[in-house]
């Protein structure tokens, strides 16, 4: 056993020696020996040496080790005269391998000596050694109170030379922000806009969301100052780059196999220090170092990622933007995104209560066939989001607008069919960009949602077919609705209510609508008209389900509505079916409706677009500097009118009529009043509405992919109608092409239309007067020849966005026939 132990020890020593020699060859090839007159062609200090990247240098180092090539000796310029006590101290502390960490003072001391000698090779070697060592970085740049005892003895005036007070940190941060005037202005604007929410801490829950300081042992301000001083030297920049390349694999191994963060939380210092390097966005870093470093960062345990995110959330807008721009080029910047969210205006409270479906004793088709439903437990949750206790939905205003995180070049080339497969099937082993939805635009995400919906439809169809074979019953694989135009609400309500009660899963089948007495076959166009007719009926002010605000052109739930919950559920189902079947609706809701659909209650800030008059009144109440109680004479009892115009009162608090609103309790009054208007007064109607919406979308990735404003875009489409973009993407058939006279006349005619006629044309051709997500350029319209000159009107196949256009003999006739067709178009027939 002794011989075996001795043999193992010798093997370890040989391996260590071999590793040491290979490292020396690598450094000689990447950094050189420091001798400006070196003649060794295999040394980076040699005048004619061709620089190598880190991969080539590593391979070459192995080759040199195998043939035992001679190494360069340390150049004498690296040492200094013995009679200089500072130089002796330098040689002792910095050139010896026993020194394993750096401080700001040490760096400046070496730099001063190097500047005096005009030889930076000693500092380059020190930077290379410390910044390539995990242990060295963990111990470096500690805060004054945590510095190694030896450091305090050697540098007794550290605090006097480089104090690290809060005032100085603020001063330094202010200087950073001054570098980017746009960011400074935006920060100021954000603070001004946040004053209302800040004054409403009790109302919006913001007191719960202000994060305290994140304690780390590294002196971040000192690290920034060191980088600012050293990165102006090109050779220093190369040293940092090479060190990071060498550091990353070792750190990755530590995190993968040794659980180093659990035993030493200060291991996070490595990532904090590296990320303060302002040159990380340069092409050299992005090509050689950052991809591996990002992979290395992904190995950090969840608590470490959360701590890093909280720390970054307290950085200035400029620092967040720099990291965003760096990582955007590498895609993997989830931490920066969540830091941006945490650093913004948060409201983690005011969440809508989730309605849990009561367990059913009846077996579903899937259970009978031994299959489980997809996403049975709802949409996936990002583990980091769960660890941080915050969602994107909780952030009303981030430090940097969400739109700036979108990577447009990626969206232009992303193969969504493959990415969707990774997202749904191989999520554990394959990376999907949909797991980072903030880098995708709404158009790309809508395509992913389309794939998900289609797969769900096919799944329902397959399960129905299998069940029919097993049970011998002929079930309909589609969601078929047969309705009468003059009784569309009654017919749709009865049919959909029966489906919702018997088997809600049928709502996720592909929709086919048939109008009684009409021959149209639903390939999408009939469904579009069905949705539009239902909405026109439901939003008719005479019915009283919704109120209409002339100033905002928006609808809101009518609190005293006499309609039963089933009709509000029908509206929710219609919105869900529209998303599920890729249809655009002409719906005019304020943004708070979509926030509530996604799970957030309405608050005072939401009144700005839903009830602007009340919002302005409440804002004036909050800003009033006089005696609120005497001048305004408001109590905690409010008055409204019912459906018949009679006044009704509501106490915001018990005995509200006896509690006057004063300066001390006006925030509470505003909070309770907003909660009543947006939540309590319409609770019955909205719950039914949301229930219907979730019947269709509860298994969809909608909530994890889209923000409320994107859900509105998904349902309502874009209001920006760019007909030039439509012209660019239109295809032609039947003998037409873009150079035909009739086609040129057609586009000149359409471009001359007013806004209303353009919307009528879209309605006639596509079944909706809105542009799809991404604009009209994403709409694939076809113009096909429909015979020679004739008196017949143009016709369309709205299912396929196809316009059948006769070859009229004049531009005037074309315009007259087209206007008549789009003005009086209604109903479906067979050609």
């Amino acid at each position: 056993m002794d011989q075996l132990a001795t043999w193992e020890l010798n093997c370890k020593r040989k391996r260590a020696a071999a590793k040491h020699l290979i490292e020396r060859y690598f450094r000689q090839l990447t950094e050189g020996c420091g001798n400006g007159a070196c003649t060794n062609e295999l040394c980076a200090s040699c005048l004619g040496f061709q620089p190598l990247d880190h991969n080539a240098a590593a391979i070459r180092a192995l080759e040199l080790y195998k043939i035992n090539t001679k190494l360069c000796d340390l150049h004498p310029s690296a040492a200094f005269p013995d009679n200089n006590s500072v130089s002796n101290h330098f040689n002792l502390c910095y050139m010896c391998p026993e020194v394993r960490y750096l401080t700001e003072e040490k760096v400046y001391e070496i730099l001063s000596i190097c500047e005096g000698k005009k030889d930076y090779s000693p500092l380059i070697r020190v930077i290379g050694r410390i910044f390539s060592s995990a242990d060295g970085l963990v111990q470096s740049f500690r805060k004054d109170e945590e510095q190694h005892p030896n450091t305090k003895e050697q540098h007794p005036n550290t605090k006097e030379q480089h104090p690290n007070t809060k005032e100085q940190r603020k001063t330094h941060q202010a200087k950073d922000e001054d570098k980017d005037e746009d960011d400074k202005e935006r920060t100021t604007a954000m603070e001004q806009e946040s004053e209302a929410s800040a004054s409403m801490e009790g109302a919006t829950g913001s007191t719960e969301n202000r994060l305290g300081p994140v304690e780390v042992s590294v002196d971040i301000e000192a690290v920034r100052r060191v980088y600012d001083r050293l990165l102006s030297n090109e050779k220093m920049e190369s040293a940092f780059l090479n060190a990071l390349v060498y550091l990353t694999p070792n750190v990755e191994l530590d995190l993968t196999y040794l659980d180093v963060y659990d035993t030493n939380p200060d291991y996070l210092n490595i990532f904090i220090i590296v990320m303060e390097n302002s040159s990380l966005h340069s092409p050299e870093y992005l090509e050689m170092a950052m991809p591996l470093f990002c992979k290395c960062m992904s190995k950090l345990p969840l608590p470490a990622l959360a701590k890093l995110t909280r720390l970054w959330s307290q950085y200035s807008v400029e620092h967040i933007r720099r990291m965003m721009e760096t990582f955007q080029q590498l895609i993997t910047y989830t931490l920066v995104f969540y830091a941006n969210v945490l650093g913004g205006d948060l409201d983690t409270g005011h969440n809508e209560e989730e309605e849990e479906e009561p367990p059913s004793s009846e077996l579903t088709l899937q259970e009978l066939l031994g299959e489980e439903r997809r996403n049975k437990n709802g949409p996936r949750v990002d583990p980091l989001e769960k660890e941080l206790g915050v969602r994107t939905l909780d952030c009303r205003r981030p430090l940097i607008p969400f739109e700036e995180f979108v990577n447009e070049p990626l969206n232009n080339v992303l193969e969504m069919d493959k990415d969707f497969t990774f997202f749904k099937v191989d999520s554990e082993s394959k990376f999907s960009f949909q797991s980072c939805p903030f880098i995708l635009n709404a158009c790309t995400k809508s395509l992913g949602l389309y794939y998900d919906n289609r797969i769900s439809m096919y799944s329902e169809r397959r399960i129905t077919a299998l069940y029919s074979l097993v049970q011998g019953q002929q079930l309909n694989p589609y969601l078929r609705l047969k309705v009468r135009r003059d009784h569309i609400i009654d017919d749709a309500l009865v049919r959909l209510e029966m489906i919702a009660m018997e088997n809600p899963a049928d709502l996720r089948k592909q929709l086919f609508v048939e109008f009684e007495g009409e021959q149209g076959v639903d390939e999408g166009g009939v469904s579009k008209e069905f949705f539009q007719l239902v909405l026109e009926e439901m939003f008719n002010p005479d019915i009283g389900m919704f109120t209409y605000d002339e100033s905002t052109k928006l609808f809101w739930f009518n609190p005293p509505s006499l309609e039963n919950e089933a009709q509000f559920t029908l509206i929710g189902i219609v919105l869900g079916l529209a998303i599920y079947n890729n249809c655009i609706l002409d719906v005019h809701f304020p943004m708070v409706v979509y926030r509530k659909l996604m799970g957030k209650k309405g608050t005072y800030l939401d009144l700005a677009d839903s009830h602007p008059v009340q919002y302005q009144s409440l804002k004036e109440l909050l800003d009033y500097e006089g005696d609120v109680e005497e001048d305004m004479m408001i109590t905690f009892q409010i008055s409204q009118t019912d459906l018949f115009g009679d006044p009704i009162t509501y106490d915001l608090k018990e005995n509200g009529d006896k509690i006057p609103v004063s300066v001390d309790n006006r925030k509470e009054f505003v909070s309770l009043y907003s909660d009543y208007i947006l939540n309590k007064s319409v609770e019955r109607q909205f719950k039914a509405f949301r229930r219907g919406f979730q019947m269709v979308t509860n298994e969809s990735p909608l909530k994890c992919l889209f923000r409320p404003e994107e859900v509105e875009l998904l349902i309502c489409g874009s209001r920006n109608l760019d007909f030039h973009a439509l012209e660019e993407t239109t295809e032609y058939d039947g003998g037409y092409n873009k150079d035909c006279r009739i086609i040129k006349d057609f586009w000149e005619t359409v471009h001359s239309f007013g806004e209303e006629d353009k919307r009528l044309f879209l309605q006639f051709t596509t079944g909706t007067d809105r542009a799809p997500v991404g604009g009209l350029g994403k709409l694939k319209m076809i113009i096909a020849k429909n015979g020679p000159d004739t008196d017949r009107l143009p016709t369309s196949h709205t299912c396929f966005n196809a316009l059948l256009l006769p070859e009229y003999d004049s531009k005037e006739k074309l315009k007259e026939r087209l206007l008549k067709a789009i003005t009086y178009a209604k109903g479906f027939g067979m050609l």
Side-chain angles (χ1 to χ4, degrees):
M1 291 297 292
D2 291 341
Q3 291 180 345
L4 178 61
T6 302
W7 179 78
E8 289 179 346
L9 182 60
N10 289 334
C11 287
K12 289 181 180 178
R13 288 174 177 171
K14 289 179 181 179
R15 281 196 296 268
K19 179 182 177 183
H20 178 68
L21 281 174
I22 294 171
E23 288 175 356
R24 287 189 61 190
Y25 282 121
F26 180 82
R27 292 182 184 280
Q28 179 174 295
L29 291 167
T30 56
E31 300 175 15
C33 65
N35 183 3
C38 181
T39 58
N40 185 355
E41 295 180 353
L42 298 175
C43 177
S45 296
C46 180
L47 185 61
F49 182 80
Q50 294 295 324
L52 300 174
D53 62 39
H54 70 284
N55 289 325
I59 295 172
R60 188 64 174 146
L62 287 172
E63 293 173 351
L64 297 179
Y65 167 73
K66 290 178 181 178
I67 60 177
N68 197 23
T69 302
K70 184 180 179 181
L71 283 160
C72 290
D73 295 326
L74 184 65
H75 188 252
S77 63
F80 295 91
D82 292 337
N83 59 357
N84 189 314
S85 60
V86 175
S87 296
N88 289 335
H89 176 73
F90 169 80
N91 288 323
L92 176 64
C93 296
Y94 299 104
M95 303 308 296
C96 296
E98 287 78 9
V99 177
R100 299 295 184 183
Y101 62 89
L102 284 174
T103 66
E104 184 180 11
E105 291 72 30
K106 287 180 182 179
V107 172
Y108 292 157
E109 186 176 347
I110 305 172
L111 180 61
S112 177
I113 296 172
C114 290
E115 287 174 343
K117 297 290 183 179
K118 295 184 179 180
D119 181 6
Y120 293 92
S121 55
L123 180 56
I124 290 174
R125 282 195 291 273
V126 171
I127 293 295
R129 182 167 69 246
I130 300 301
F131 275 75
S132 63
S133 165
D135 292 337
L137 275 186
V138 168
Q139 296 299 323
S140 294
F141 304 107
R142 294 296 188 97
K143 293 179 180 177
D144 291 338
E145 64 272 14
E146 298 183 20
Q147 286 290 5
H148 192 279
N150 292 340
T151 306
K152 293 185 178 181
E153 293 173 9
Q154 295 165 2
H155 305 286
N157 297 323
T158 295
K159 287 190 177 183
E160 295 178 10
Q161 294 171 0
H162 299 283
N164 194 26
T165 63
K166 292 182 180 179
E167 289 75 12
Q168 284 185 318
R169 293 177 186 174
K170 290 179 180 177
T171 302
H172 186 79
Q173 182 170 336
K175 290 180 181 178
D176 286 341
E177 290 174 354
D178 286 341
K179 295 177 184 177
D180 190 336
E181 190 63 28
D182 292 338
D183 282 342
K184 182 178 179 182
E185 290 176 0
R186 185 187 178 281
T187 303
T188 304
M190 184 176 72
E191 290 173 353
Q192 291 174 348
E193 188 168 319
S194 299
E195 285 180 359
S197 59
S199 66
M200 288 294 298
E201 288 181 349
T204 62
S206 58
T207 51
E208 302 171 8
N209 305 320
R210 296 300 94 195
L211 298 173
V214 179
E215 292 298 329
V216 291
S217 59
V218 63
D219 187 342
I220 297 174
E221 297 300 331
V223 174
R224 290 175 180 173
R225 290 191 292 268
V226 168
Y227 274 128
D228 288 342
R229 186 85 176 269
L230 298 185
L231 287 177
S232 58
N233 187 310
E234 188 175 330
K235 292 183 179 180
M236 295 296 175
E237 188 169 343
S238 299
F240 283 118
L241 172 60
N242 292 329
L244 182 58
V245 170
Y246 187 81
L247 168 74
T248 302
N250 296 327
V251 173
E252 183 180 357
L253 289 174
D254 286 348
L255 291 170
T256 304
Y257 299 107
L258 301 180
D259 298 327
V260 287
Y261 180 79
D262 294 336
T263 56
N264 183 15
D266 287 340
Y267 203 82
L268 196 63
N269 291 3
I270 295 173
F271 298 90
I272 297 173
I273 292 172
V274 170
M275 283 304 301
E276 290 302 324
N277 186 335
S278 59
S279 297
L280 295 181
H281 65 281
S282 66
E284 293 81 7
Y285 276 94
L286 293 175
E287 180 181 354
M288 299 172 60
M290 290 306 292
L292 293 175
F293 182 74
C294 289
K295 179 184 177 184
C296 184
M297 189 182 295
S298 69
K299 302 290 184 180
L300 282 168
L302 202 56
L305 292 173
K307 185 174 182 179
L308 200 56
T309 304
R310 292 189 183 100
L311 174 67
W312 288 349
S313 72
Q314 299 175 358
Y315 282 12
S316 67
V317 174
E318 181 198 352
H319 280 85
I320 293 291
R321 188 181 298 280
R322 177 176 61 78
M323 288 193 288
M324 179 198 73
E325 291 171 350
T326 298
F327 282 112
Q328 190 174 45
Q329 300 176 69
L330 292 161
I331 309 305
T332 55
Y333 61 138
T334 304
L335 300 190
V336 182
F337 174 77
Y338 279 113
N340 183 55
V341 169
L342 281 174
D345 293 338
L346 290 179
D347 175 15
T348 56
H350 303 99
N351 298 313
E352 291 280 0
E353 294 181 2
E354 296 287 344
E355 293 187 31
E356 295 185 5
E357 297 182 10
S360 174
S361 58
E362 297 183 7
L363 294 175
T364 63
L365 292 183
Q366 289 75 17
E367 290 168 334
L368 285 170
L369 294 170
E371 297 191 10
E372 290 189 6
R373 298 205 64 84
R374 304 172 321 121
N375 300 331
K376 187 175 181 180
N377 296 322
R380 67 184 69 185
V381 177
D382 189 330
L384 181 58
E385 182 178 281
K386 188 175 181 180
E387 178 72 18
L388 293 169
V390 67
R391 301 170 296 171
T392 304
L393 184 63
D394 296 330
C395 186
R396 285 190 168 273
R397 186 181 178 89
L399 289 175
I400 300 172
F402 289 128
E403 292 75 17
E404 294 192 29
F405 280 82
V406 174
N407 191 313
E408 291 297 347
L410 168 69
N411 283 270
N412 293 335
V413 301
L414 182 60
E415 297 180 35
M416 184 51 72
D417 51 348
K418 293 181 180 179
D419 192 77
F420 173 78
T421 303
F422 297 156
F423 181 65
K424 300 299 291 187
V425 181
D426 299 324
S427 58
E428 296 298 326
S429 58
K430 299 284 188 178
F431 172 78
S432 166
F433 290 107
Q434 289 185 84
S435 62
C436 302
F438 51 86
I439 64 176
L440 304 177
N441 58 35
C443 184
T444 303
K445 289 188 282 190
S446 68
L447 185 58
L449 186 65
Y450 172 81
Y451 284 132
D452 186 83
N453 293 339
R454 290 294 160 178
I455 293 296
S456 180
M457 291 176 186
Y458 297 149
S459 175
E460 294 294 340
R461 199 179 306 166
R462 169 179 165 273
I463 289 170
T464 302
L466 288 174
Y467 185 79
S468 299
L469 289 174
V470 173
Q471 297 294 320
Q473 300 177 13
Q474 190 64 33
L475 299 180
N476 197 328
Y478 301 100
L479 174 59
R480 291 191 179 275
L481 296 179
K482 187 173 183 179
V483 296
R484 297 166 293 176
R485 279 187 180 270
D486 52 351
H487 295 84
I488 191 167
I489 295 297
D490 294 335
D491 293 350
L493 185 61
V494 170
R495 178 68 179 134
L496 291 174
E497 194 171 17
M498 288 178 59
I499 292 171
M501 288 191 300
E502 293 176 1
N503 187 16
D506 284 354
L507 294 172
R508 288 182 283 273
K509 294 178 179 179
Q510 188 172 354
L511 176 66
F512 282 98
V513 177
E514 178 185 349
F515 285 103
E516 193 172 277
E518 300 182 19
Q519 297 176 311
V521 177
D522 191 6
E523 292 290 342
V526 182
S527 296
K528 292 177 185 177
E529 180 152 0
F530 163 76
F531 287 132
Q532 199 59 43
L533 292 174
V534 168
L535 291 175
E536 286 178 4
E537 187 77 18
M538 288 291 200
F539 285 93
N540 188 333
D542 294 337
I543 293 182
M545 292 180 65
F546 297 92
T547 59
Y548 182 68
D549 189 322
E550 287 289 348
S551 63
T552 62
K553 309 298 183 186
L554 298 174
F555 287 93
W556 182 249
F557 298 90
N558 189 6
S561 173
L562 299 178
E563 300 297 327
N564 59 39
E565 294 183 12
Q567 296 202 345
F568 287 99
T569 302
L570 174 61
I571 290 287
I573 291 175
V574 166
L575 259 65
L577 287 175
I579 291 177
Y580 196 65
N581 290 272
N582 202 33
C583 292
I584 295 173
L585 303 179
D586 186 18
V587 178
H588 303 273
F589 279 133
M591 185 55 63
V592 64
V593 170
Y594 301 101
R595 284 180 57 82
K596 285 168 70 69
L597 278 176
M598 300 292 276
K600 297 296 291 187
K601 287 184 177 181
T603 64
Y604 160 68
L605 297 177
D606 293 307
L607 290 172
D609 65 330
S610 64
H611 299 76
V613 175
Q614 288 93 325
Y615 173 79
Q616 187 60 35
S617 298
L618 294 175
K619 188 175 186 301
E620 291 174 0
L621 171 62
L622 290 172
D623 296 339
Y624 190 69
E625 296 180 356
D627 191 327
V628 173
E629 185 173 347
E630 290 293 330
D631 297 346
M632 296 192 173
M633 294 187 298
I634 308 172
T635 68
F636 275 76
Q637 184 181 79
I638 60 175
S639 176
Q640 289 187 312
T641 57
D642 62 14
L643 198 61
F644 306 103
D646 298 326
I648 54 174
T649 59
Y650 177 80
D651 285 347
L652 298 176
K653 294 175 68 174
E654 188 176 353
N655 298 321
D657 59 326
K658 299 176 182 178
I659 305 175
V661 177
S662 64
V663 173
D664 296 331
N665 62 16
R666 60 182 171 181
K667 294 177 185 176
E668 182 186 12
F669 172 81
V670 169
S671 174
L672 293 174
Y673 183 88
S674 304
D675 183 51
Y676 175 76
I677 293 294
L678 297 176
N679 303 311
K680 291 183 177 178
S681 67
V682 295
E683 184 174 13
R684 176 182 65 88
Q685 296 92 327
F686 184 79
K687 277 190 174 180
F689 170 74
R690 188 177 183 220
R691 188 185 310 120
F693 183 77
Q694 290 183 334
M695 283 180 183
V696 186
T697 63
N698 66 335
E699 294 185 5
S700 164
L702 184 74
K703 290 182 72 171
C704 68
L705 290 179
F706 294 86
R707 302 191 307 275
E709 58 270 24
E710 293 175 323
V711 174
E712 181 190 30
L713 190 62
L714 203 62
I715 294 174
C716 304
S718 173
R719 298 174 183 175
N720 180 26
L721 302 182
D722 184 356
F723 274 79
H724 291 286
L726 178 62
E727 181 180 358
E728 289 292 324
T729 58
T730 296
E731 299 176 358
Y732 304 94
D733 196 12
Y736 283 160
N737 61 64
K738 66 178 182 178
D739 297 321
C740 291
R741 176 197 59 80
I742 184 71
I743 296 301
K744 291 182 179 180
D745 289 346
F746 169 81
W747 285 114
E748 288 177 7
T749 300
V750 170
H751 290 316
S752 70
F753 283 170
E755 189 72 18
E756 184 61 28
D757 286 340
K758 285 181 178 179
R759 292 193 180 279
L760 286 174
F761 171 76
L762 273 183
Q763 182 75 46
F764 173 75
T765 310
T766 68
T768 177
D769 65 352
R770 298 292 187 92
V773 179
L776 287 180
K778 300 296 181 180
L779 185 66
K780 301 299 182 184
M781 190 175 78
I782 300 172
I783 300 179
K785 186 175 181 178
N786 193 23
D789 180 49
T790 178
D791 289 335
R792 287 184 301 153
L793 298 174
T795 55
S796 65
H797 293 306
T798 55
C799 308
F800 308 106
N801 303 326
L803 175 68
L804 305 182
L805 184 68
E807 193 173 8
Y808 298 113
D809 59 5
S810 71
K811 183 177 178 181
E812 292 73 21
K813 187 175 183 179
L814 165 66
K815 184 174 182 179
E816 184 269 332
R817 296 281 86 188
L818 184 59
L819 280 172
K820 183 169 287 188
I822 65 178
T823 304
Y824 298 104
K826 193 171 186 180
F828 293 88
M830 296 293 288
L831 298 177

